[in-house]
Amino acid sequence: MRARIPVLLLCGSLALAATGCTVGGSADSGAGSGSGAKKTLVVAEWTNPSAIEATKKINAIFEKEHPGVTVKLENAPTAAGAWGTLTNSLLSAKSVDVLAQFAPTPAKFPPADTGLKSSGSAALITAGQITDLSGQDFMKSYDPVLQKYGAGYNGGIYGVVAAEYIGHGAVWYKKDLLDKYGVKVPTTYTEFVAALKKFKDAGKTPIFVAGKDGLQGIVYGGAVQQLLMKGQTGADSTAVSDQRAKDFWAGTKSWNDPLYKEAATKYTDVMQYIEPAASGVAQLTAPGVWAAKSDDFPFFLDGSWDGNTIKEANPDLKFGFFVMPATDDAANNRIPVKADLTWMVPTWAPNKDLAMDWLRTFSRPENYKLWLDATGSTSTQPGVTSSTLPWMDWLNEHSDERFVALTDPWIPAGAPPEAAGPDLTKMTPFGKQSVDDALKGAATAYQKSVGKK
């Protein structure tokens, strides 16, 4: 579902302003099957070919069940600001009924005492522009913990988190290459490094990565997630995120703490095994290049959303997915899952009742499974899995070990990029900064941004 991810895998919400989107418009009272009225329901979703096609199929089901209703699917790529432009246009014109947004999560709702303002879809929610869906019957189909985390605010739930993906620690692998060299999917950090060394000694380049777009951050970000959650239960992830944010804001924790040094050191160790020209590899083309080279690059750093892209590039390739283990205790090497595409309904939606009906249709298990199979998302509905995708076998087998990915500390608007963590393009091996200097620089940038230094 994603077009790209920054260095720390923090796919932020679109920069939508709440201004100019005052509550208004008329709800569609009496729309639905059998109403006889000709209506157009507008659904907006960013461009992902597989997801768009799946949504079109669900739209066709909806239209059949609602005579006289046409679903108009608006879409634009996330690249070059196209999706933001389309979204702002639809919001300004009040011409959208169901709008896809990235899950805001608690990180987008900083406490009032920080002085920070909500951004993206969170700003729309706090301004009263998005409908609370917590009382809708279709919400019972979804994992309540994830829905509250992904789109919850002040006791309400302001969207349906339909997709979740793994970015932190995400690794694809070629099954035939692992079998040929007697390598099993590693369950500990030591096993992972040993596998990398074994392939390198055999004359293979162990890891392919789109270094041009910062996907090497998958390793560092994954290590940070697992180290922060070490000894915690999956249910503790929200509390861990919240406490980290408070500690950073108070200045008692920062990017140069021992935990981040351990993660950065493991990152630099793994980076010894990447494609030498990785800094010139773009995310847009990386899945296809990796898939085409079936006799090299046993591992590929890329989010779980790219399974269909890999398959289309090389239909004969046997490949799988796992999350890089960052510790030597297999029990601590769990899966950070990030809430992603979230369907929202503006309070002023022209066809609000129809929008609820559409979400009800989308949420039916058979329709939601259709969408999962097309997108490669992990399921947000308990009991519904994407069983037809062979690369989901590891994820389905380890689904009980996942936790909601930790969000970053609160970062003031206008803060330098390093305030969000070390700039991996400047840190060795992509840059000249040492691990210590990069972490110190990040800590200083954060502290300055919150007025602690």
Side-chain angles (χ1 to χ4, degrees):
M1 297 297 298
R2 316 308 298 270
R4 66 180 301 275
I5 49 180
V7 168
L8 291 186
L9 310 175
L10 304 175
C11 303
S13 300
L14 294 169
L16 306 176
T19 57
C21 299
T22 54
V23 178
S26 59
D28 183 352
S29 59
S33 60
S35 68
K38 290 186 177 181
K39 295 181 180 293
T40 299
L41 182 76
V42 178
V43 177
E45 175 182 21
W46 54 81
T47 305
N48 174 288
S50 299
I52 292 295
E53 289 306 309
T55 303
K56 286 180 179 178
K57 291 179 181 178
I58 293 174
N59 289 346
I61 294 170
F62 183 82
E63 290 175 344
K64 185 176 181 180
E65 295 174 351
H66 295 73
V69 175
T70 299
V71 182
K72 181 180 180 182
L73 181 59
E74 298 271 13
N75 70 98
T78 55
W83 170 248
T85 300
L86 173 61
T87 304
N88 283 327
S89 174
L90 293 171
L91 289 171
S92 296
K94 295 184 179 178
S95 59
V96 63
D97 299 295
V98 183
L99 175 66
Q101 291 283 270
F102 295 124
T105 75
K108 298 299 181 182
F109 299 99
D113 60 10
T114 65
L116 302 180
K117 295 182 179 180
S118 298
S119 59
S121 59
L124 296 173
I125 292 170
T126 58
Q129 308 303 308
I130 303 297
T131 304
D132 179 5
L133 303 179
S134 59
Q136 297 293 327
D137 56 349
F138 52 78
M139 295 300 293
K140 297 176 182 177
S141 299
Y142 295 91
D143 177 356
V145 175
L146 176 67
Q147 297 300 319
K148 182 178 179 181
Y149 178 81
Y153 175 70
N154 278 359
I157 299 177
Y158 291 85
V160 176
V161 181
E164 55 181 6
Y165 294 96
I166 297 92
H168 302 285
V171 185
W172 295 93
Y173 70 97
K174 292 170 179 168
K175 293 184 176 182
D176 287 346
L177 272 179
L178 265 65
D179 289 344
K180 180 178 179 180
Y181 289 91
V183 174
K184 294 182 178 180
V185 174
T187 60
T188 68
Y189 178 73
T190 296
E191 289 177 1
F192 182 57
V193 174
L196 298 177
K197 186 177 186 304
K198 187 170 186 176
F199 281 116
K200 187 172 184 178
D201 290 345
K204 302 298 178 182
T205 302
I207 298 176
F208 193 72
V209 58
K212 184 177 181 179
D213 290 317
L215 270 77
Q216 64 270 27
I218 282 174
V219 172
Y220 173 75
V224 167
Q225 294 275 322
Q226 290 181 359
L227 290 172
L228 283 169
M229 284 296 290
K230 189 175 181 179
Q232 307 283 344
T233 68
D236 295 330
S237 62
T238 300
V240 172
S241 285
D242 186 57
Q243 189 59 53
R244 176 166 73 146
K246 291 177 180 177
D247 290 342
F248 265 64
W249 192 262
T252 58
K253 298 284 186 182
S254 199
W255 297 116
N256 56 346
D257 288 351
L259 182 146
Y260 300 100
K261 183 170 183 178
E262 180 180 351
T265 299
K266 288 179 174 177
Y267 159 82
T268 55
D269 288 344
V270 171
M271 288 299 104
Q272 299 176 49
Y273 299 96
I274 64 170
E275 157 63 28
S279 61
V281 178
Q283 183 182 1
L284 183 64
T285 58
V289 174
W290 180 75
K293 190 71 173 176
S294 59
D295 62 343
D296 201 3
F297 307 133
F299 299 113
F300 176 42
L301 303 178
D302 190 42
S304 66
W305 52 82
D306 258 337
N308 283 310
T309 305
I310 294 169
K311 185 67 176 177
E312 290 169 5
N314 186 355
D316 296 326
L317 183 68
K318 295 178 181 178
F319 62 98
F321 178 91
F322 70 101
V323 171
M324 189 198 89
T327 79
D328 279 330
D329 182 349
N332 285 317
N333 299 327
R334 291 166 294 166
I335 307 168
V337 181
K338 183 176 177 58
D340 196 90
L341 186 147
T342 301
W343 297 115
M344 294 184 177
V345 177
T347 52
W348 40 257
N351 301 288
K352 197 170 182 180
D353 286 353
L354 271 179
M356 298 304 171
D357 280 348
W358 187 89
L359 289 173
R360 194 168 289 111
T361 299
F362 177 90
S363 301
R364 291 206 302 261
E366 66 274 19
N367 294 337
Y368 182 58
K369 186 180 183 305
L370 178 156
W371 197 79
L372 287 181
D373 288 346
T375 62
S377 164
T378 55
S379 178
T380 65
Q381 286 192 9
V384 179
T385 60
S386 182
S387 57
T388 62
L389 301 178
W391 58 84
M392 296 289 285
D393 53 356
W394 187 92
L395 281 175
N396 289 335
E397 184 180 344
H398 293 81
S399 61
D400 292 341
E401 302 167 19
R402 66 185 182 177
F403 62 88
V404 176
L406 308 177
T407 55
D408 262 7
W410 304 307
I411 300 173
E418 288 86 350
D423 185 341
L424 302 185
T425 64
K426 296 179 181 178
M427 190 174 79
T428 181
F430 284 81
K432 296 181 179 180
Q433 278 188 331
S434 67
V435 166
D436 286 342
D437 286 346
L439 293 175
K440 182 180 179 180
T444 299
Y446 184 84
Q447 290 161 355
K448 285 183 177 180
S449 73
V450 300
K452 299 298 181 184
K453 236 181 188 182

